[in-house]
Amino acid sequence: MKRLIFLALIHCLLFTVYYSLSYSAVLLDRVVATVNNEVITWSELRRDIELESKEFLKGFTDEDREKKIKELEKSFLNSMIDLKLQLQEAHQAGLDVSPSETDSAIADIKRKYNLTDESLIESLKAEGFTLEEYRTRLAEQILLSKVVRYEVKDNILITDKEIEEYYEANKENSDFGEGNPELILMASGSEVNLIYEAAKKLAAKGLKVRAVSFPSWELFEEQDEAYREAVLPKGVRARVAVEAGAGLGWDRYVGLDGAIISLDRFGASAPAKVLFEKFGFTVENVVAKAKELLAA
């Protein structure tokens, strides 16, 4: 009788433990958002927060760390929803990223940072990523870049003659300092104002700087060689591109001697001004990078 009671207690205990673990698993993977039939789970959300806010979360006690993660959930979830929507939009537009494009991007990153296959994997491991996870995220970044360029190109109706006339009419507004440029700053979107302000500061120090706005790489590439040379003279090798996102693609314009100020990681959560300062998207940093190139 005692043995039966003992076995019953063990069975009860095992059932309770199993049920608790199962319940925790359900809680861990509960759906926190549905985006057009694609789900985002709580475990995915938490993993993103822990990966992207690793430095921020350092030094907190376990209790405070959990509070901070809780505070970050809303902004991170909104970002994940936005990402899902943009990727869905890309697929609907017929855009995609081939494995060879991802391979090429990884090769560029390895070359830029002098990494071997082994050191790349070790670096990713230190950041909490596997190579496959990194490939997936990199492909998403490439696809998002395609969406932006696709939408820009699709909505810009402008002739070659209009482009040439605009450039000639506004040439003096993009060149700072007297004479031919010795440095070229490049950007698109909101970063254009940043390079303009940096160009003014550099010109005030006696440097000759050109600031180039790139609304569309594809439109630029469609222009003839003479026009492209007039905008980006081959003789000017000191070039800085500023991109508040992945720097993929700018290499072809900055060349081997240039530099790219970009965000080659998958974001962080903080006020915009704080993030821009943290990742170097400031006039001071652009000026410093430009001086560094000219001094090389």
Side-chain angles (χ1 to χ4, degrees):
M1 183 65 179
K2 286 183 179 178
R3 178 176 173 78
L4 286 174
I5 293 173
F6 178 69
L7 288 173
L9 286 171
I10 290 178
H11 177 76
C12 231
L13 179 61
L14 288 173
F15 177 80
T16 303
V17 170
Y18 174 79
Y19 180 80
S20 298
L21 289 173
S22 300
Y23 182 68
S24 296
V26 170
L27 281 180
L28 187 62
D29 287 331
R30 71 183 185 274
V31 174
V32 292
T34 303
V35 187
N36 296 326
N37 296 323
E38 288 189 54
V39 302
I40 298 172
T41 65
W42 187 83
S43 58
E44 291 171 333
L45 174 59
R46 184 178 177 98
R47 176 171 166 73
D48 263 26
I49 295 172
E50 290 180 335
L51 284 174
E52 307 302 344
S53 304
K54 185 164 62 175
E55 292 300 317
F56 171 71
L57 294 171
K58 276 184 178 177
F60 288 111
T61 63
D62 289 346
E63 185 180 349
D64 287 340
R65 187 172 181 275
E66 289 302 316
K67 286 180 181 177
K68 292 298 178 183
I69 288 175
K70 188 70 178 174
E71 290 172 5
L72 294 171
E73 282 182 4
K74 185 176 180 180
S75 61
F76 267 82
L77 181 57
N78 286 337
S79 296
M80 292 175 76
I81 291 171
D82 287 342
L83 177 61
K84 287 275 188 193
L85 288 170
Q86 290 176 71
L87 293 174
Q88 289 170 4
E89 181 183 347
H91 293 307
Q92 288 169 5
L95 301 175
D96 206 349
V97 177
S98 67
S100 62
E101 288 179 286
T102 308
D103 290 339
S104 178
I106 288 177
D108 286 342
I109 291 167
K110 284 165 59 181
R111 185 165 52 251
K112 181 177 179 180
Y113 296 105
N114 196 27
L115 296 170
T116 62
D117 288 339
E118 292 74 19
S119 57
L120 173 64
I121 290 171
E122 285 301 312
S123 297
L124 293 176
K125 186 178 178 181
E127 291 295 320
F129 293 102
T130 65
L131 181 58
E132 282 309 306
E133 287 173 330
Y134 184 68
R135 286 181 63 87
T136 299
R137 294 202 174 201
L138 192 56
E140 290 175 349
Q141 293 297 316
I142 296 171
L143 189 55
L144 291 182
S145 297
K146 286 187 176 185
V147 171
V148 172
R149 295 189 188 103
Y150 172 83
E151 289 184 343
V152 169
K153 187 173 181 180
D154 194 49
N155 287 288
I156 293 179
L157 299 174
I158 185 169
T159 64
D160 292 347
K161 184 179 179 182
E162 287 173 324
I163 291 176
E164 290 173 12
E165 288 175 349
Y166 178 83
Y167 175 70
E168 288 302 323
N170 293 276
K171 189 173 181 180
E172 68 277 8
N173 295 329
S174 61
D175 285 348
F176 300 82
E178 297 296 327
N180 294 325
E182 55 188 313
L183 167 76
I184 298 175
L185 304 179
M186 296 172 274
S188 63
S190 60
E191 293 91 296
V192 171
N193 184 60
L194 181 61
I195 64 169
Y196 267 65
E197 292 303 315
K200 290 177 186 176
K201 282 204 169 189
L202 289 163
K205 297 178 184 295
L207 298 173
K208 292 167 284 187
V209 187
R210 173 169 294 172
V212 179
S213 170
F214 268 87
S216 169
W217 290 343
E218 284 81 0
L219 281 175
F220 181 76
E221 292 299 331
E222 287 173 3
Q223 309 313 306
D224 60 33
E225 176 63 27
Y227 174 79
R228 296 199 302 271
E229 174 64 20
V231 178
L232 300 178
K234 291 186 179 71
V236 184
R237 298 172 67 90
R239 302 178 178 188
V240 179
V242 182
E243 177 71 59
L248 293 171
W250 282 108
D251 303 69
R252 79 181 87 166
Y253 299 114
V254 300
L256 295 175
D257 299 328
I260 304 170
I261 299 173
S262 61
L263 182 60
D264 291 306
R265 52 170 294 185
F266 303 104
S269 180
K273 185 176 184 297
V274 174
L275 289 178
F276 264 56
E277 290 176 357
K278 177 179 173 59
F279 294 115
F281 299 108
T282 63
V283 172
E284 291 73 23
N285 189 49
V286 175
V287 168
K289 182 61 68 175
K291 287 182 177 178
E292 182 183 316
L293 288 181
L294 290 170

